[in-house]
Each structure stands twice: as C-alpha cells, then as structure tokens.
Amino acid sequence: MATQFKYDLDSLEWDSAHRHNKEGVYCYCGLDYNDGDPMLQCASCSQLFHWDCVSCLKSKPLRGDSFFRFKCSVCNGGTEEYERDTLSWVQVVYLVLYHLILTEPDKKYFRWRENICATISDNWQNLMPGKAKTATWQNTVAGCLSTHHGLFKSGFDDTQQTGNWTLHAAVEPSQTHFKAAVKSREPRSGKVKAETKKPRKKADASVGSAAEKDILEVLNDSNGSKKSARPRVSFSDDESDNEAKSSKRKAKRRRAELKNLEDDADLLQSFEFFSQLEKKRLGGQTDKPEDLDSDNDDSA
C-alpha cells in the first residue's frame, strides 16, 4: 500500500465544499474523477479516493454515501482503515432513493419493491455489514416510506398507483441532514416520578352548610315527582312553612344535577351521615312496632 502521494497534497487548491480542486488531482493515482463517481474522503487528509483504487471495499458504494469513516494508507501508516456507520432504516431508504435519483435522472418515481428493496438487497453487506435479513425487512422499508412524510413523497396523486416513491428534495445525505429529519426519542432518566394521590377532602356536614342543604333536598325529594308519605325531614325545629316551600323548589332545580348520587363521593358521604341523624330523630316512630311486639310478648 502507498505510504506517500505522487504529488504535493498541500499545494492543491480546493473549493469551499472540498469536493474539487483546480488541478484535478485525486487519490493515490493522481487522476481526476467525474461528477457522480463514488469517492471516499479520508478523515485525516480530506483527499478523495476512487473506490476501485482502495483495497478496503469489495463492492461499489452508493452515490451520496458518506456514512463511514475512512483513512487512507498514507495517513494510516501503510494500511487503510474503513468503518461503516450504523445506519437506521430511514437513512438506508433515503440513501438508496438518492442514489436511484442520481443514476436514473429521467425517472420520476421508483417502485418500493422492484427498485428500492432490490437496491437494498443488492447492497446489503455494504449498507448493513454483519446484519442478517429478517423475513419482514421489506415491510420495515414500506413503513419508513409511509410514516416519514417530510422526507419521502408518494407518487399516488400523479400515477394513481400505490408503491411509487421519491424524495421531496434530492439533498445529499449527511449526518447533519438526518439530525433534523429523522424522528428522535428523548432519553429517559430512569426515574419515574411517583404519582401522589391527594387526600379526599371531607364533606362539610355542619349545620347550614352546602352539603347539609344538598342532603335535605335529596331526602325531601321522594323519587322525582311522586309525593312522599314520609314526613318532611328538617334539621331545624323552627323551620317555617315558607322555608319548606323554598326547599321544595330548590329540590326540583337540583334533580337534573343529582342524577346519580353515587357519582359524588362527598355528597354520598354526607348523605350517609345525615341518614343516620334522620334515623335517630325518627327513632321513636320506627321503634314503636318493635316496642308493641315486645309488650305483647311480655303480656303473654
């Protein structure tokens, strides 16, 4: 392998993108290259090398492929070094479509199976070295095309056929380009904030409270429009008739809101509390039959 160039590398005048020099001198061989030829750029000296002049590649790379790290033998002490970046499926599909657009400029759309998947399959070891093909890898390609609308354009509106795809813009792929284009996932800290359950506020069951009024309205409203045979409940001994009529009107207004008492846990709790109070107040009436029975038993 070459350990020095046949020319003075430092004397070459390059453009701003470092893709061409005025002298037309590249690679170990010192020859020019044509636009579109796949070239490998050294990570150390930035010189461009013809793919068929290097020994580390067994197959021709795709056009626009820059997802690797290459060191020429001049910079690496007589041996070449090549390391492929790990590509995501979105990057693979984008790179393949970019390659197809450059190699077949007259073609507007490309078939996802016949063109895109076929190109991936032919360049599998170059794109994903050491990775085995799964039975569903073509479905993964279809999923990338259909979910990343910012990168891939469907040709259905133009061709009235499914499975035709191209790029929205044939921008040369790079790591910087994909940082904005590819979906990203925020890293997880590993700590999950425990949900704190707020204690339920106890119902205000004091005399004259809102809860007391709600319970009285429910107790005094006997099943909708039916009149109650049970005497009206009151927690105040001096309640007037006017107050009774006013409470009755309020009960009618509250029917629509209190469709289901069980939906309001606070109201249900207050209801149970005042129900016990009611039973105590009416205990003389409910206990009378039992007292009579006990008196009869005693007399017997």
Side-chain angles (χ1 to χ4, degrees):
M1 298 294 296
T3 57
Q4 62 181 3
F5 294 112
K6 301 176 180 179
Y7 49 86
D8 184 8
L9 180 65
D10 295 332
S11 65
L12 302 179
E13 296 184 28
W14 294 86
D15 60 7
S16 57
H18 206 88
R19 300 299 298 177
H20 297 277
N21 59 59
K22 292 182 179 180
E23 295 78 9
V25 177
Y26 307 92
C27 193
Y28 303 120
C29 62
L31 300 179
D32 202 351
Y33 78 95
N34 298 320
D35 287 335
D37 291 344
M39 303 290 286
L40 278 73
Q41 188 171 34
C42 178
S44 296
C45 65
S46 299
Q47 176 61 292
L48 302 177
F49 295 81
H50 305 105
W51 77 272
D52 51 355
C53 287
V54 301
S55 60
C56 59
L57 287 184
K58 295 181 180 180
S59 59
K60 186 177 181 179
L62 299 180
R63 294 179 63 175
D65 187 0
S66 60
F67 299 98
F68 56 84
R69 186 175 180 274
F70 169 72
K71 275 189 177 182
C72 68
S73 62
V74 176
C75 297
N76 204 44
T79 59
E80 294 175 344
E81 183 177 307
Y82 178 85
E83 184 180 359
R84 159 63 75 184
D85 293 338
T86 301
L87 299 178
S88 68
W89 273 108
V90 178
Q91 290 173 320
V92 170
V93 174
Y94 187 98
L95 177 58
V96 167
L97 267 174
Y98 181 82
H99 169 80
L100 291 173
I101 290 172
L102 293 187
T103 54
E104 300 182 62
D106 296 334
K107 203 168 184 178
K108 190 174 183 180
Y109 296 100
F110 300 90
R111 299 291 297 171
W112 80 275
R113 188 186 295 273
E114 292 84 350
N115 301 127
I116 301 174
C117 289
T119 304
I120 294 175
S121 182
D122 293 341
N123 295 271
W124 187 273
Q125 289 303 321
N126 185 21
L127 294 171
M128 292 173 283
K131 186 174 182 179
K133 291 182 182 179
T134 64
T136 59
W137 73 269
Q138 292 183 337
N139 295 338
T140 305
V141 173
C144 291
L145 290 168
S146 59
T147 56
H148 291 77
H149 306 292
L151 295 174
F152 310 121
K153 178 183 177 182
S154 171
F156 180 80
D157 291 340
D158 295 336
T159 63
Q160 299 302 310
Q161 291 181 347
T162 59
N164 293 314
W165 294 90
T166 189
L167 297 177
H168 278 289
V171 179
E172 185 174 358
S174 64
Q175 293 288 3
T176 305
H177 172 69
F178 279 99
K179 283 181 180 179
V182 180
K183 296 178 181 177
S184 61
R185 180 178 295 177
E186 294 295 332
R188 296 183 179 180
S189 61
K191 296 181 179 180
V192 180
K193 187 177 180 181
E195 294 183 0
T196 56
K197 191 174 182 180
K198 294 183 179 180
R200 190 172 65 182
K201 187 178 179 182
K202 293 184 178 180
D204 181 10
S206 59
V207 177
S209 65
E212 181 196 40
K213 294 178 182 179
D214 291 339
I215 298 302
L216 288 176
E217 291 172 1
V218 173
L219 292 176
N220 291 310
D221 179 26
S222 179
N223 298 327
S225 61
K226 294 182 180 179
K227 293 183 179 180
S228 175
R230 176 170 50 81
R232 189 176 186 280
V233 179
S234 173
F235 292 106
S236 176
D237 294 334
D238 59 349
E239 186 179 20
S240 64
D241 292 339
N242 291 334
E243 291 176 343
K245 292 179 181 179
S246 175
S247 297
K248 197 170 184 179
R249 287 194 297 269
K250 290 180 181 179
K252 290 181 179 180
R253 289 195 300 268
R254 290 289 294 171
R255 285 189 196 122
E257 301 176 6
L258 302 176
K259 292 182 179 179
N260 191 348
L261 185 62
E262 294 182 355
D263 290 342
D264 194 328
D266 293 339
L267 186 59
L268 180 60
Q269 182 180 359
S270 300
F271 179 80
E272 293 173 350
F273 173 75
F274 285 111
S275 295
Q276 294 176 2
L277 291 181
E278 181 190 9
K279 288 180 180 180
K280 289 181 180 180
R281 292 180 60 84
L282 300 178
Q285 298 179 14
T286 57
D287 293 337
K288 272 187 177 182
E290 296 180 2
D291 294 341
L292 290 175
D293 293 339
S294 60
D295 292 342
N296 291 337
D297 293 340
D298 295 339
S299 61

